[in-house]
């Protein structure tokens, strides 16, 4: 009985660390990008994984790649602009759609996601927003 309490505390600590490493839901700042030359490298229609850009592709900042590795399937929900306006305005793009992490943002970005959109006007209207990201499925290792 004496060794039970330290063992229980160790198990809880490990479980807490695992929960932080593999979160199922998180709120992140999001932007949108297109395949225009000014927003990408010299291969504007190819993601970091070699896939073609399309609606349903998400890029993550490098710090999130260990939590959301390439191939992770996620759902998104629009929580509104960073100024607190327009909650749900872009849910029409997200509802019923599973997004996949297939691209990487610039190394200077931290704790952000970038959502590929087919046209620049919509991407500009999207601006900087908060999204709730829910992990649907992690890739097999």
């Amino acid at each position: 009985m004496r060794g039970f309490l330290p063992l229980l505390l160790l198990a809880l600590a490990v479980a807490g660390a695992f929960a932080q490493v593999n979160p199922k839901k998180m709120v992140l700042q999001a932007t949108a990008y297109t395949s225009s030359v000014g927003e990408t490298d010299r291969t504007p229609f190819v993601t970091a994984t070699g896939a073609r850009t399309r609606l349903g592709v998400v890029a993550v900042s490098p710090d999130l790649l260990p939590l959301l590795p390439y191939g992770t399937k996620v759902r998104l929900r629009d929580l509104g602009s960073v100024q607190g306006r327009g909650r749900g305005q872009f849910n029409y793009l997200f509802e019923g759609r599973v997004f996949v992490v297939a691209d990487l943002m610039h190394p200077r970005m931290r704790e952000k996601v970038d959502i590929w959109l087919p046209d620049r006007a919509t991407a500009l209207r999207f601006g900087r927003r908060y999204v709730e990201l829910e992990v649907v499925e992690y890739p097999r290792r």
Side-chain angles (χ1 to χ4, degrees):
M1 190 69 169
R2 190 176 245 187
F4 179 73
L5 184 58
L7 187 60
L8 177 63
L9 291 175
L10 177 63
L12 289 173
V14 169
F18 182 77
Q20 291 175 350
V21 172
N22 291 318
K24 286 289 187 181
K25 281 189 180 183
M26 57 182 83
V27 174
L28 297 167
Q29 198 173 111
T31 51
Y33 73 108
T34 66
S35 292
S36 65
V37 176
E39 297 177 64
T40 63
D41 61 13
R42 65 187 202 295
T43 56
F45 292 97
V46 180
T47 68
T49 62
R52 297 274 302 165
T53 54
R54 62 174 173 74
L55 188 57
V57 166
V58 174
V60 296
S61 55
D63 62 317
L64 291 177
L65 204 52
L67 299 174
L68 301 167
Y70 293 130
T72 302
K73 294 178 181 174
V74 300
R75 290 192 199 286
L76 301 173
R77 188 168 59 100
D78 178 14
L79 299 179
S81 72
V82 293
Q83 291 85 18
R85 295 188 295 267
R87 182 182 185 104
Q89 181 179 351
F90 288 90
N91 278 340
Y92 73 95
L93 292 171
F94 303 155
E95 290 174 348
R97 187 178 309 275
V98 174
F99 290 77
V100 64
V101 175
D103 213 349
L104 190 63
M105 296 175 77
H106 192 279
R108 75 177 177 270
M109 299 300 171
R110 312 259 324 138
E111 297 181 10
K112 293 185 173 143
V113 295
D114 212 4
I115 302 158
W116 188 88
L117 294 177
D119 65 279
R120 186 166 162 74
T122 306
L124 288 172
R125 263 192 356 265
F126 188 87
R128 271 187 327 149
R129 311 183 75 70
Y130 287 107
V131 296
E132 179 184 78
L133 181 143
E134 178 183 7
V135 174
V136 174
E137 181 182 324
Y138 287 103
R140 291 185 181 164
R141 295 192 182 235

